[in-house]
Amino acid sequence: MTQRCRRTERAGGVALALIAVTGTVSAGLPGVAAAANQSPFETVNHPFPAHVTYATGVLPSVSQAARDTAVQRQYDSWKATYLVAGCGTGQYYVSTKGDDDAPNNGPVSESQGYGMNIVPLMAGYDVNAKAEFDGLWNLVSTHRDGQGMMQWQLDGKTCKYADSGTPDGATDGDLDIGYGLLLADKQWGGYTAAATDWLARFYAADVASDGHLKSEDDGDNNVTRPSDHMYDHLRAFAAYDKAHDWNKVITRTEAVDTAFSAKYSPTTGLLSDFVLGADTSSPSPAPARYRENQPDNIVGYNSIRVPWHLGTDALLNGSAAAVELSLGAKESACLKAQSGGVPTKVYPHTNLDCTPHPTDGAGHADTEAEEAGDSIGPAAMASGDQAWTDAIWNELATNPFGDPYYGETIKMLVYIVMAGDYWSPMGPPSGGSGPAAPAALSVTGATNSSIGLSWTEQNNTDPAVSYKIYEGSAVVATSTGTTATISGLAAGTSHTYTVTAVDAAGTESPHSGPVTGATGGGAGGTSVTVSKAADTGTGNYTDQAVITNSSGVDVHGWNVQFDLSGRMTVTSATNAVLTSSGNHWTLTNTAADATIVAGGTLVVTFKGTYTKGKQYVAPTNVTLHTS
């Protein structure tokens, strides 16, 4: 691959017609063909808007409906400007219009990969999405290099390879193309052969023997490009393709990024555009203008994308992406400080200590690029910085510097992530059946205005990353754990809940069985909470039930009822008479403690045992009855 100048100059809701895909592919390489009479109304498994519950972080403060509308508006503009029906019959490409990345506004593998991610994610809103995706993939299939990857640069008129020398590929585009095939297989089905073949060829061409990603398929084994470190893609590959050790790639890539940052950017987390020594324990910045006509030894138009990739992985994968969250949070914080919290003031070139670098590789002033601020959005979200997230979200609605293909296409993908509509295709090639319904849903306690719930995750091969709590058809809460408290309820009211599990791809399980709980108050105006007071860890525990009378009148009788695990028992209680029926237990007032005055509180202590070698389990289905 010859030297490329990433950005050299700037240029100052329309649906494309459905075009049939002919199915022309390179000999011996799996492709996707569509019949000429194919209906655009294909079955869509994850229609936009997906409304994914991320594993961590915050969302922009505007409503979900406003976020969805903003994404749709950007998609209409992006599609009308950059998605082109051209080259072969039924083929599409994503034009690099305005950025001079390819002759005659042709595609590069980077743009084609972006398109193959965007289009499946927008299926359901765009009824022609499958035909467009097939057209994008058809073009890739007919423009392969010797290792089966896409020729990285094509002329927009001749559709022939536009660089000098033997055609070769670029890692970032080929990663996105592979991920796009996984999205398509999960969205519509029928792409398994193409996806597994592509991943096998990519692994052979672009993964070095120690597991790090090479910057190009015919490149040196000691060079990597951090903007290629798309960890969410790699995790999806690991779940989808068991024939190759993608976890080795993740582990080695994390090691390179961590070692580099520890030495060169310990407080900022910034990674240079290219990194040398990727096959050693001491990776280092490449020299300036090493591969492209810009300062490759610092953050430039390549690594400008790193916080987007780090943040996206953290949002989707939570604790599994601890390394990515740490680096992304550092990058987000330093760039916020650099810009004073104004996204348009983030420089496109930044030194590794986070000071601005105001010139490009030729020494010309270069201080403005919309993608510099846009790309930080997912990292700001994952780090929990609400104000910074909101500022970046608001900036997405503008194009302050008139950026063309590169900035507008990155914006399109960042928009989808920040809107909460970016789902992962993690899972087996068949798409799996989604997570199992949660089990053992129970009420753990109630106050005058809240009800506590707990449940367990079923043992399954598609684990949940979050849960949705429903009352009827309405989602009233979400949780990343197996407990939740529903607040803001009226006193003395009854509520019935179910819970669903959501996996990393955004697939939602069937509903759990229902459970009904009631708030205190109403006529009695009372509430109870049960909590653990002591636990020896060897089979003995003490719990306390705290009864609060907020009704304004005295209570003259009460009982607290709850269920216990089969491993638990109650042996004694103070201030109460203890009875049981199986695993259901009741604490009833004694004559001396029957009255709880208005505004008063009574603490009931009870002790018990549990099976040695096991763990304490909190009471469930706790209710209070007063008279």
Side-chain angles (χ1 to χ4, degrees), residues 480-535:
T480 56
T482 56
T483 62
T485 298
I486 316 303
S487 302
L489 306 176
T493 55
S494 178
H495 302 267
T496 299
Y497 300 107
T498 59
V499 177
T500 62
V502 181
D503 68 10
T507 304
E508 192 169 356
S509 76
H511 286 246
S512 69
V515 68
T516 299
T519 56
T526 53
S527 62
V528 63
T529 58
V530 176
S531 59
K532 181 172 65 176
D535 180 9

Side-chain angles (χ1 to χ4, degrees), residues 582-607:
N583 294 327
H584 185 77
W585 296 80
T586 302
L587 301 171
T588 303
N589 64 267
T590 64
D593 296 293
T595 299
I596 307 174
V597 299
T601 297
L602 177 68
V603 178
V604 180
T605 301
F606 56 97
K607 297 183 178 182

Side-chain angles (χ1 to χ4, degrees), residues 165-191:
T166 302
D168 61 353
T171 302
D172 58 346
D174 292 333
L175 272 165
D176 274 327
I177 290 168
Y179 193 73
L181 289 167
L182 268 64
L183 287 169
D185 201 30
K186 191 84 168 185
Q187 187 68 282
W188 300 293
Y191 298 83

Side-chain angles (χ1 to χ4, degrees), residues 223 379 435:
V223 183

Side-chain angles (χ1 to χ4, degrees), residues 79 434 467 601:
K79 180 178 171 181
Y467 299 87
T601 297

Side-chain angles (χ1 to χ4, degrees), residues 120-204:
L121 291 168
M122 295 303 296
Y125 173 71
D126 183 351
V127 297
N128 292 336
K130 188 176 188 303
E132 292 154 1
F133 179 87
D134 287 347
L136 290 164
W137 170 230
N138 189 285
L139 183 137
V140 171
S141 298
T142 57
H143 294 83
R144 306 260 197 151
D145 70 6
Q147 300 190 69
M149 299 289 94
M150 181 180 170
Q151 298 173 8
W152 84 269
Q153 185 189 61
L154 302 178
D155 188 297
K157 288 186 177 179
T158 67
C159 294
K160 294 181 178 181
Y161 184 64
D163 201 358
S164 60
T166 302
D168 61 353
T171 302
D172 58 346
D174 292 333
L175 272 165
D176 274 327
I177 290 168
Y179 193 73
L181 289 167
L182 268 64
L183 287 169
D185 201 30
K186 191 84 168 185
Q187 187 68 282
W188 300 293
Y191 298 83
T192 303
T196 53
D197 177 78
W198 185 270
L199 294 184
R201 292 174 184 273
F202 179 93
Y203 199 96

Side-chain angles (χ1 to χ4, degrees), residues 337-349:
Q338 178 200 103
S339 64
V342 180
T344 55
K345 294 185 178 180
V346 177
Y347 277 59
H349 303 287

